[in-house]
Amino acid sequence: MDERGTTERVLTLLGLLQRRQVWTGPELAERLGVTARTVRRDVERLRALGYPVHAGMGVGGGYRLGRGQELPPLLLDDEEAIATAVALLAGAASGTGDAALRALTKLDQVLPSRLRHEVRALSDTVEFFGSGRTPVDPDVLMTLARACRDEVETGFDYPSGDTTSRRRVEPHRLVASDRRWYLLAYDLDRDDWRTFRVDRMTEVAPRTWRFRPRPAPDAAQYVQEGVASRVYARQARFLVHAPASVVRGQVPPSAALVRPLGDDRCELVTGAADLDFLIMRVLLLGHPFEALDPPDLASHCHALAQRLLSVAVTTPPSGAATQGPTAVRPDPEG
């Protein structure tokens, strides 16, 4: 038998071993149309490829695919491939994390074209509730993921203020926050890196021109800084006297960027429409902090503190205004 025939037979053997827990040698030989000796040789070929195929003797014995130290390739039939792709599509669009999108991109690369319309049709029948992330079109996610992978220019319509314009970009990475999907890309018309919300994109289409990747910033950090501070009118930096791990547990990633500065201090970078809101955000964390930037941040802290103190001085404690005179009871022994 030629090499192609041997390869197809070994892949068929792998599919059988993945389908059922134990197969006897004669059962496999009958399914494959070969001798038991050929089955043994094909099992050795699978072992050489990293598949831990165990062989048991006696009653109840046979060939069994075990768990290895590394994850070898899996064989999926059409129904299994469709089910896997639908689950990954739903997960990527509803907010289970970018791992689903990475896995989907790999599966998409080898998924036969005849199965694509079935995946799309089935994914449209899945709905979710309770997710905090803004839903996006899974087809748009896949288009952008392919463009990042294949390094091809991409165009899309994107709103800015009251207008919508066509943007031409070199896509670099898709980044998922706790609320939304973002694309980090090099904007060819503005000659700079930009962050785009995927849910705001329309008419997304890859172009035929490939590009050579240019040095790029750290995608997750760049997007987080933009979402947490750069998009707002005012940005601020604070030195917080608490471990970064503690502060990260108190502030959503979309609200602030937390950088560790040793074991018991961290820098918090955040943004909002006004500085008073940012000061209250850090104040409510309950940790000592210092104002670093901008230059007027410290004066805003003092002004806010004075306003709070004035309220504390002029407002009586709760219940003090209605409290009557204290009754003095006679001492029973006096």
Side-chain angles (χ1 to χ4, degrees):
M1 182 176 289
D2 59 19
E3 183 177 349
R4 179 180 177 183
T6 301
T7 301
E8 292 177 352
R9 189 183 65 246
V10 172
L11 290 175
T12 303
L13 172 60
L14 176 59
L16 292 172
L17 292 173
Q18 290 178 342
R19 189 180 304 173
R20 206 171 82 184
Q21 187 172 7
V22 179
W23 291 85
T24 66
E27 287 176 329
L28 291 174
E30 181 180 356
R31 285 294 191 101
L32 298 172
V34 296
T35 64
R37 183 178 180 182
T38 301
V39 170
R40 290 194 295 270
R41 288 178 177 175
D42 289 345
V43 166
E44 290 302 322
R45 292 186 175 98
L46 286 177
R47 288 170 177 165
L49 294 172
Y51 294 93
V53 183
H54 305 301
M57 304 297 292
V59 179
Y63 293 104
R64 177 174 59 86
L65 188 62
R67 300 182 183 274
Q69 298 298 318
E70 298 179 354
L71 181 65
L74 300 176
L75 284 183
L76 302 175
D77 59 27
D78 285 3
E79 292 183 357
E80 292 169 338
I82 292 172
T84 302
V86 168
L88 292 172
L89 271 172
S94 65
T96 59
D98 57 344
L101 184 60
R102 293 198 306 270
L104 182 59
T105 305
K106 295 178 181 178
L107 181 60
D108 173 75
Q109 194 169 8
V110 297
L111 192 68
S113 57
R114 69 178 186 278
L115 302 182
R116 293 182 187 277
H117 72 282
E118 295 188 48
V119 171
R120 177 70 265 183
L122 286 175
S123 65
D124 286 341
T125 68
V126 181
E127 298 288 343
F128 290 87
F129 67 92
S131 172
R133 184 173 298 167
T134 303
V136 297
D137 187 343
D139 282 343
V140 172
L141 275 179
M142 280 306 306
T143 298
L144 295 173
R146 292 189 201 105
C148 292
R149 180 194 66 198
D150 299 336
E151 299 171 353
V152 294
E153 292 183 14
T154 303
F156 51 85
D157 293 339
Y158 198 77
S160 179
D162 296 331
T163 63
T164 298
S165 60
R166 191 68 180 173
R167 312 296 284 267
R168 298 184 308 115
V169 303
E170 296 176 354
H172 176 60
R173 289 289 187 276
L174 282 164
V175 179
S177 76
D178 55 335
R179 298 173 59 191
R180 299 183 178 94
W181 280 97
Y182 297 89
L183 173 70
L184 175 62
Y186 192 84
D187 193 314
L188 294 171
D189 296 319
R190 289 155 181 80
D191 197 25
D192 198 4
W193 291 98
R194 290 289 190 272
T195 298
F196 302 94
R197 275 177 50 175
V198 175
D199 61 291
R200 290 181 174 177
M201 296 179 180
T202 55
E203 303 299 326
V204 180
R207 311 180 76 183
T208 57
W209 298 320
R210 296 179 62 88
F211 62 87
R212 178 178 298 176
R214 62 185 77 218
D218 180 271
Q221 180 173 320
Y222 187 91
V223 172
Q224 187 184 6
E225 287 180 356
V227 171
S229 64
R230 284 196 302 266
V231 297
Y232 294 102
R234 301 304 304 267
Q235 297 87 39
R237 292 191 306 120
F238 298 89
L239 176 63
V240 182
H241 292 267
S245 58
V246 174
V247 176
R248 286 195 183 110
Q250 297 176 291
V251 183
S254 57
L257 178 66
V258 180
R259 299 189 181 104
L261 297 175
D263 295 335
D264 57 355
R265 298 191 309 165
C266 62
E267 180 185 78
L268 187 143
V269 181
T270 184
D274 61 79
L275 291 179
D276 286 351
F277 182 85
L278 299 179
I279 295 168
M280 291 303 300
R281 173 180 289 170
V282 180
L283 181 65
L284 292 175
L285 296 178
H287 310 298
F289 67 91
E290 302 172 30
L292 299 180
D293 224 13
D296 59 338
L297 181 58
S299 61
H300 272 268
C301 289
H302 286 291
L304 182 59
Q306 290 299 320
R307 295 207 304 270
L308 293 174
L309 283 173
S310 66
V311 173
V313 171
T314 59
T315 304
S318 177
T322 58
Q323 185 175 354
T326 303
V328 179
R329 296 182 179 275
D331 187 350
E333 302 195 13

